Amino acid sequence: MSGILEGKRVLITGVLMESSIAFHTAKLAQEQGAEIILTAFPRPTLTERIAKKLPKPTKVIELDVTNDEHLGRLADIVGEELGGLDGVVHSIGFAPQDALGGNFLNTPFESVATAMHVSAFSLKSLTMACLPLMQNGGSVVGLTFDAQYAWPQYDWMGPAKAALEATNRYMARDLGKQNIRCNLISAGPIGSMAAKSIPGFSELASVWDTRAPLEWDLTDPEPAGRGVVALLSDWFPKTTGEIVHVDGGLHAIGA
């Protein structure tokens, strides 16, 4: 039986650690029949080492999503490698340290602007850079952390994720005519590199111990990766502008 991504060509960002959702997305995508290509920044060599643990070899491209030159050449590089794209995975987020860890009221705008550019605007800029390769439609999937709430220590990444979620809805509106679906996975906390950069991450993550209906494992990114792969597949042909929660059900529980 062929996989649900058989014949699909997918670009995946954010593979920095074996423990990341992006790595497990890449692994599952290959297992489900996709041809993939990875992007990395600021250390492509790190991603190249991690990529060796995937089932099949894959090319790694240096891509800073805030660099117009990098974005401008992306379609040519990916086109030479894969010929086109059927899916794009946005697993990119960053905020300077002074925008996290309880410093919300004192964070300067320059740091907020960086967080917004890298974590939210890049969903649009990455998608537009890949658009020439998606002539037959396709699926764009991003990763968010539920922006309905103010989380401990998360500070300006919260508004950045809210902007990401709004950006996804507007992209779904404007790209639907080209048969491109735009959706997000809202994942529970995972002990990834992104998590390690958040001061007091354990305080935030501890909420899942008491409120999530389904037991949540901080060390298991595979459920979120499965969600991404499902949205990349043809099994959600008329779903766009959506946020699918893979968080053990915590989003549904008030207290």
Side-chain angles (χ1 to χ4, degrees):
M1 183 176 177
S2 61
I4 62 172
L5 295 185
E6 195 67 40
K8 301 287 188 189
R9 300 155 300 176
V10 182
L11 179 143
I12 300 173
T13 65
V15 176
L16 295 175
M17 299 173 69
E18 199 172 349
S19 60
S20 70
I21 295 171
F23 175 85
H24 282 263
T25 297
K27 177 175 179 288
L28 289 163
Q30 285 189 335
E31 290 172 351
Q32 290 299 317
E35 255 191 295
I36 68 169
I37 193 164
L38 306 180
T39 75
F41 189 79
R43 293 170 61 194
T45 53
L46 174 62
T47 298
E48 286 168 357
R49 285 201 299 272
I50 299 298
K52 290 177 181 175
K53 299 181 180 182
L54 291 170
K56 300 175 186 175
T58 182
K59 186 178 179 67
V60 177
I61 303 169
E62 182 180 22
L63 175 66
D64 174 1
V65 288
T66 67
N67 184 316
D68 288 340
E69 185 181 333
H70 283 201
L71 290 165
R73 69 188 186 210
L74 183 63
D76 288 340
I77 297 172
V78 176
E80 286 179 14
E81 190 72 17
L82 299 181
L85 282 175
D86 305 288
V88 175
V89 177
H90 179 280
S91 179
I92 300 168
F94 172 77
Q97 284 299 110
D98 62 356
L100 299 164
N103 197 46
F104 186 86
L105 297 179
N106 299 310
T107 304
F109 177 71
E110 290 75 16
S111 296
V112 175
T114 297
M116 291 289 179
H117 193 174
V118 178
S119 308
F121 184 79
S122 65
L123 179 64
K124 191 277 298 187
S125 53
L126 174 65
T127 302
M128 293 306 292
C130 293
L131 197 59
L133 300 172
M134 302 178 78
Q135 295 299 312
N136 298 315
S139 175
V140 177
V141 185
L143 289 163
T144 188
F145 188 74
D146 203 330
Q148 297 178 86
Y149 307 107
W151 296 101
Q153 312 299 329
Y154 206 49
D155 292 353
W156 281 99
M157 276 302 292
K161 289 298 187 184
L164 176 75
E165 293 176 9
T167 300
N168 176 67
R169 288 188 287 270
Y170 280 92
M171 282 175 44
R173 181 196 70 180
D174 290 350
L175 294 176
K177 65 178 80 70
Q178 294 168 248
N179 198 32
I180 294 174
R181 296 172 284 120
C182 302
N183 297 289
L184 299 176
I185 291 290
S186 182
I190 297 293
S192 62
M193 184 173 285
K196 289 179 170 62
S197 69
I198 302 172
F201 173 76
S202 58
E203 179 190 349
L204 185 159
S206 67
V207 175
W208 266 255
D209 294 335
T210 55
R211 279 179 50 200
L214 298 174
E215 184 179 357
W216 187 255
D217 184 352
L218 283 171
T219 66
D220 185 11
E222 185 167 319
R226 283 176 177 263
V228 175
V229 168
L231 286 172
L232 288 169
S233 79
D234 294 331
W235 285 94
F236 285 85
K238 298 299 178 186
T239 298
T240 195
E242 186 60 270
I243 300 173
V244 177
H245 290 82
V246 183
D247 66 348
L250 184 136
H251 72 281
I253 306 301

